[in-house]
């Protein structure tokens, strides 16, 4: 049984005070919910949010992580620093990191392995651009990003890996993939996990959908066999929209 997993990516929003207050509100409202719930605030808010979510069912995530433990990496945040803040999960390979900041599959793979080595859960984001979808390359692109991202990840580390399928054209645009289209790619991803590992690993893999997830479309997405959760950007910023997504049924 794959437990539904709803994650909120707050991106570059909220000051520390706003993040603390919104996280406190969320903790109250999702008490007792039997789905996994995660929020990833900006690095500067991790400390205050960690205090608020402590002892609750809300998991603390980071939006990115450096590919090294320490050194001359101006502007980067190391796994040791994230761990000290109480982070349990790291989002890696988000399309904004890939396409705006030029992160390659190879760099993302280094981060994935380092994060797993430090005991973090990893949400590995993959997804095609509009041009790639129109050129009928969506399946090939996600398979390549998946196998490159998981290169040299051992099967006994997979229980700490979550995949987020986020078609780039659906992120922040209000265009959601139809549940059928999303499910079809999720199936491709699951089959590729089987191909790279085995049937059991594929059956257990949590695959989130991301890209304009809203309270009104979450139930139909979650209804699909291969969609196990959501990675939510815009709609995670307000408790009024995030809580109904978390409690989609
Ligand atoms: P969105 O973002 O929900 O605002 O489309 C999703 C994401 O980038 O993870």
């Amino acid at each position: 049984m794959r437990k539904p997993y709803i994650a909120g990516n707050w991106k570059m929003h909220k000051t520390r005070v706003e993040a603390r207050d919104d996280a406190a509100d969320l903790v109250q409202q999702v008490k007792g919910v039997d789905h996994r719930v995660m929020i990833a605030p900006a690095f500067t808010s991790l400390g205050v949010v960690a205090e608020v979510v402590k002892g609750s069912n809300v998991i603390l995530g980071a939006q990115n992580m450096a590919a090294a433990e320490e050194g001359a990496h101006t502007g980067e945040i190391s796994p040791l620093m994230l761990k000290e803040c109480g982070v349990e999960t790291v989002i890696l390979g988000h399309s904004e990191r890939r396409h705006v900041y030029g992160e390659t599959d190879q760099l993302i793979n280094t981060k994935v392995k380092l994060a797993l080595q430090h005991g973090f859960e990893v949400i590995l984001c993959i997804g095609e651009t509009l041009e790639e979808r129109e050129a009928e390359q969506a399946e090939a692109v996600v398979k390549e990003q998946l196998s490159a991202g998981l290169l040299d990840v051992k099967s006994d580390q997979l229980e700490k890996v979550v995949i987020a399928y986020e078609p780039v054209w659906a992120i922040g645009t209000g265009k959601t993939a139809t549940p059928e289209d999303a499910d079809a790619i999720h199936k491709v991803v699951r089959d590729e996990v089987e191909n790279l590992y085995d049937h059991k690993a594929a059956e257990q893999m949590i695959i989130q959908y991301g890209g304009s997830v809203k309270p009104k479309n979450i139930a139909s997405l979650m209804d699909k066999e291969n969609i196990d959760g959501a990675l939510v950007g815009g709609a995670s910023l307000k408790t009024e929209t995030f809580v109904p997504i978390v409690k989609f049924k």
Side-chain angles (χ1 to χ4, degrees):
M1 233 343 234
R2 299 187 294 264
K3 192 171 187 143
Y5 186 5
I6 309 294
N9 172 9
W10 285 355
K11 306 193 181 179
M12 199 174 70
H13 294 280
K14 302 184 196 292
T15 62
R16 274 157 51 95
V17 169
E18 289 164 348
R20 184 199 59 200
D21 292 353
D22 289 353
D25 201 13
L26 179 69
V27 164
Q28 285 306 316
Q29 296 200 43
V30 301
K31 242 183 214 161
V33 171
D34 189 32
H35 298 155
R36 294 191 76 213
V37 188
M38 183 275 261
I39 45 172
F43 289 133
T44 48
S45 297
L46 285 171
V48 286
V49 173
E51 282 170 31
V52 169
V53 301
K54 204 173 188 174
S56 79
N57 57 340
V58 176
I59 301 162
L60 182 64
Q63 299 172 19
N64 190 15
M65 189 196 82
E69 284 173 2
E70 64 176 357
H73 298 285
T74 303
E76 292 288 312
I77 308 284
S78 114
L80 305 173
M81 298 164 185
L82 295 179
K83 193 171 275 180
E84 191 188 36
C85 286
V87 167
E88 292 174 67
T89 299
V90 289
I91 300 172
L92 295 174
H94 189 277
S95 72
E96 286 147 23
R97 299 304 318 171
R98 291 176 187 269
H99 299 292
V100 185
Y101 296 98
E103 292 196 8
T104 61
D105 279 327
Q106 198 189 10
L107 177 71
I108 294 161
N109 175 245
T110 304
K111 293 184 178 193
V112 167
K113 287 183 293 189
L114 186 63
L116 291 171
Q117 200 183 307
H118 282 278
F120 292 106
E121 172 183 77
V122 168
I123 298 183
L124 171 63
C125 303
I126 58 176
E128 81 286 358
T129 62
L130 184 60
E131 297 73 56
E132 289 162 343
R133 171 151 286 249
E134 284 172 349
E136 296 184 3
Q137 292 294 307
E139 294 188 9
V141 168
V142 298
K143 278 192 202 170
E144 175 56 30
Q145 290 176 341
L146 184 72
S147 57
L150 294 179
L151 188 70
D152 295 330
V153 170
K154 307 279 172 283
S155 47
D156 63 0
Q157 297 178 296
L158 279 189
E159 60 179 23
K160 289 271 197 174
V161 175
V162 171
I163 306 297
Y165 167 60
E166 301 202 300
V168 180
W169 48 271
I171 297 179
T173 57
K175 287 185 203 152
T176 327
T178 64
E180 291 68 32
D181 283 350
D183 191 57
I185 300 282
H186 281 228
K187 172 89 169 75
V188 168
V189 172
R190 201 174 299 289
D191 288 349
E192 187 62 10
V193 173
E194 176 156 356
N195 187 29
L196 296 169
Y197 296 92
D198 56 29
H199 182 69
K200 189 164 165 241
E203 278 303 304
Q204 291 177 347
M205 181 59 70
I206 298 293
I207 309 176
Q208 297 173 325
Y209 168 79
S212 299
V213 173
K214 306 282 179 231
K216 66 176 186 317
N217 58 26
I218 184 69
S220 56
L221 288 161
M222 291 302 295
D223 237 14
K224 292 290 172 195
E225 190 184 335
N226 289 292
I227 301 181
D228 310 312
L231 180 54
V232 187
S236 72
L237 295 174
K238 290 204 169 96
T239 321
E240 304 95 270
T241 46
F242 192 48
V243 169
I245 295 174
V246 170
K247 299 182 178 173
F248 64 92
K249 67 168 182 204

